[in-house]
Amino acid sequence: MAAEASQVNERDAATAQVIDELKALYKEKLLPMEQASKFDYFHTPFMTDAEFDSRPSVLLVGQYSTGKTSFIRYLLGTDFPGQRIGPEPTTDRFVAVVHGDDEHIVPGNALCVAPDLPFRGLEKFGMSFLNKFEGSQLPNKVLENITLVDTPGILSGSKQRDDRGYDFVQVCRWFAERCDMILLLFDAHKLDISDEFRTVIESFKGHDDKIRCVLNKADQIDRQRLMRVYGALMWAMGKVLKTPEVLRVYIGSFWDQPLLYEDLANLFEKEENDLMSDLRDLPRNSAVRKINELVKRARLAKVNAHLISYLKSQMPSFSGHAKKQKELIADLAKVFRTVHKTQNLPIGDFPTDLQAFGAKLTELNFTKFNKIKQKHLDQTEQLLSVDIPRLMEQLPRQVNDSADSRQRPVSDPLTPPDKCFFLR
């Protein structure tokens, strides 16, 4: 056991070193090009140290009363500040459950400016959202390794969307882009997917590898009905995601009450072990995700810099600036095709929403754009072709932890299981 612990500690130290190098490379080789090409205006804010150093995060999404908050309480093994649990819609805000020295609630505005938390980018959604965002801080072994994000339960109908005062779907997408795992929770008694829930899931496109489903409250139906519900869930998710890949679905009842159908206890125990194993691997897999996200960001930044430079080059020398700018914005598809062909850039790296990109361009003066610098291109190319592969080689290989593969005995359903086993 001592040798295994030593191997794990060495692996974690090596992973932390890779993340530190990744952070330095971003500041040295990618950030200058982002600043020169207004990347923060067109896409996402410049990355902060907290985004590199932050713990892995898990986003929980689902319709109301699917057990999202109860799942967090079950995972932590204790209550957390501000938790609201009930059969009616109780969680009306986004809640980041984070580690801290004492128990208290942190308002959304304070959470966004905290230097050690990666939430500064949420400021762009305005006060309407920040008033519905809070942090729940408490000392907990689980939270030393991961951060959990609870979301408001999704209801049917348009009234809820209109009353929120912020773009719920875009906020969910912001978290999805930065989290390490997305858990979609479903109640085994009601699998209907509302229009807004469908829109939220569709907004996760491009992050399908992070998505897992949790079929909760499954102890309240018998084995035969459970098989039918499971099949219906797989069919429904296949229609929403439109992907041939099969999602991983964890089946169980994630709360501390007795099981109604105890003949399913063995199945639920195995499913829980698999889910906890998935969560346990997040801290060590986080470095790979951060490298992958930086690669995607660098490719997008490269395209953005070429687009800005091309628009600048098309402006006349003396007069007619406004007219030419309108022409370029009106035919952005042609601009994209030209840059794609002349610079030999993959079309998949270009922004997908022409209308949104064009709307942002209308607020700017193309004559004040910067032409792309060869130095910035060379630095980005070196980052992608030399530095990133070197960091991938430095990442430690997974250690076969024999403790991971051992099955825990089926516990008394009245006794909350020890969640800290996945932190070893």
Side-chain angles (χ1 to χ4, degrees), residues 248-263:
R248 178 63 168 98
V249 178
Y250 298 103
I251 304 172
S253 188
F254 296 95
W255 64 343
D256 55 5
Q257 299 300 312
L259 299 178
L260 186 60
Y261 287 93
E262 294 194 7
D263 61 318

Side-chain angles (χ1 to χ4, degrees), residues 179-238:
C179 74
D180 295 78
M181 181 185 291
I182 303 168
L183 290 180
L184 303 179
L185 275 81
F186 294 88
D187 187 330
H189 289 278
K190 48 178 185 291
L191 287 182
D192 57 305
I193 299 177
S194 67
D195 291 342
E196 187 176 31
F197 192 21
R198 176 186 295 270
T199 304
V200 169
I201 297 173
E202 289 173 346
S203 76
F204 295 158
K205 186 175 181 180
H207 305 282
D208 306 41
D209 57 314
K210 301 179 184 180
I211 299 177
R212 309 286 187 273
C213 292
V214 176
L215 186 57
N216 202 14
K217 305 181 183 181
D219 69 306
Q220 299 178 33
I221 56 178
D222 59 34
R223 187 181 296 271
Q224 184 179 20
R225 286 183 61 198
L226 181 59
M227 291 175 59
R228 293 173 179 168
V229 169
Y230 177 85
L233 175 59
M234 297 296 288
W235 178 81
M237 290 304 299

Side-chain angles (χ1 to χ4, degrees), residues 275-289:
L275 175 56
M276 297 306 168
S277 178
D278 220 354
L279 292 170
R280 181 185 60 240
D281 289 338
L282 287 183
R284 294 174 190 130
N285 293 338
S286 180
V288 177
R289 183 193 67 81

Side-chain angles (χ1 to χ4, degrees), residues 51-62:
E51 291 184 73
F52 289 97
D53 299 333
S54 61
R55 298 176 178 90
S57 61
V58 180
L59 177 67
L60 290 91
V61 184

Side-chain angles (χ1 to χ4, degrees), residues 131-332:
N131 290 332
K132 292 292 186 179
F133 178 47
E134 68 183 24
S136 176
Q137 178 180 297
L138 70 157
N140 187 280
K141 286 291 184 182
V142 173
L143 297 176
E144 289 179 3
N145 291 268
I146 60 175
T147 293
L148 303 167
V149 179
D150 196 6
T151 60
I154 301 173
L155 295 169
S156 301
S158 61
K159 185 178 185 299
Q160 184 194 32
R161 294 194 296 270
D162 298 337
D163 289 347
R164 281 202 177 106
Y166 63 90
D167 194 328
F168 178 79
V169 175
Q170 286 304 312
V171 172
C172 287
R173 179 167 179 80
W174 187 94
F175 278 107
E177 289 171 347
R178 291 156 179 81
C179 74
D180 295 78
M181 181 185 291
I182 303 168
L183 290 180
L184 303 179
L185 275 81
F186 294 88
D187 187 330
H189 289 278
K190 48 178 185 291
L191 287 182
D192 57 305
I193 299 177
S194 67
D195 291 342
E196 187 176 31
F197 192 21
R198 176 186 295 270
T199 304
V200 169
I201 297 173
E202 289 173 346
S203 76
F204 295 158
K205 186 175 181 180
H207 305 282
D208 306 41
D209 57 314
K210 301 179 184 180
I211 299 177
R212 309 286 187 273
C213 292
V214 176
L215 186 57
N216 202 14
K217 305 181 183 181
D219 69 306
Q220 299 178 33
I221 56 178
D222 59 34
R223 187 181 296 271
Q224 184 179 20
R225 286 183 61 198
L226 181 59
M227 291 175 59
R228 293 173 179 168
V229 169
Y230 177 85
L233 175 59
M234 297 296 288
W235 178 81
M237 290 304 299
K239 287 189 66 178
V240 174
L241 290 174
K242 298 180 177 64
T243 175
E245 289 81 11
V246 178
L247 285 178
R248 178 63 168 98
V249 178
Y250 298 103
I251 304 172
S253 188
F254 296 95
W255 64 343
D256 55 5
Q257 299 300 312
L259 299 178
L260 186 60
Y261 287 93
E262 294 194 7
D263 61 318
L264 298 172
N266 286 328
L267 169 65
F268 294 162
E269 185 70 17
K270 291 177 182 178
E271 290 289 289
E272 181 184 318
N273 285 342
D274 287 348
L275 175 56
M276 297 306 168
S277 178
D278 220 354
L279 292 170
R280 181 185 60 240
D281 289 338
L282 287 183
R284 294 174 190 130
N285 293 338
S286 180
V288 177
R289 183 193 67 81
K290 288 174 180 176
I291 290 175
N292 184 55
E293 293 299 323
L294 190 68
V295 168
K296 290 194 290 186
R297 185 183 182 97
R299 293 168 69 97
L300 180 59
K302 186 177 176 181
V303 167
N304 188 71
H306 277 294
L307 287 171
I308 294 300
S309 183
Y310 175 80
L311 292 172
K312 165 80 172 181
S313 69
Q314 296 303 299
M315 298 304 291
S317 302
F318 300 104
S319 60
H321 295 159
K323 180 181 178 181
K324 183 61 176 179
Q325 183 165 322
K326 287 182 179 179
E327 291 175 357
L328 290 168
I329 294 174
D331 200 2
L332 268 184

Side-chain angles (χ1 to χ4, degrees), residues 375-393:
K375 176 186 176 182
H376 292 164
L377 287 176
D378 293 342
Q379 288 178 330
T380 304
E381 187 59 35
Q382 186 180 37
L383 173 69
L384 292 172
S385 61
V386 178
D387 298 319
I388 294 297
R390 174 176 57 81
L391 288 183
M392 291 297 294
E393 287 295 324

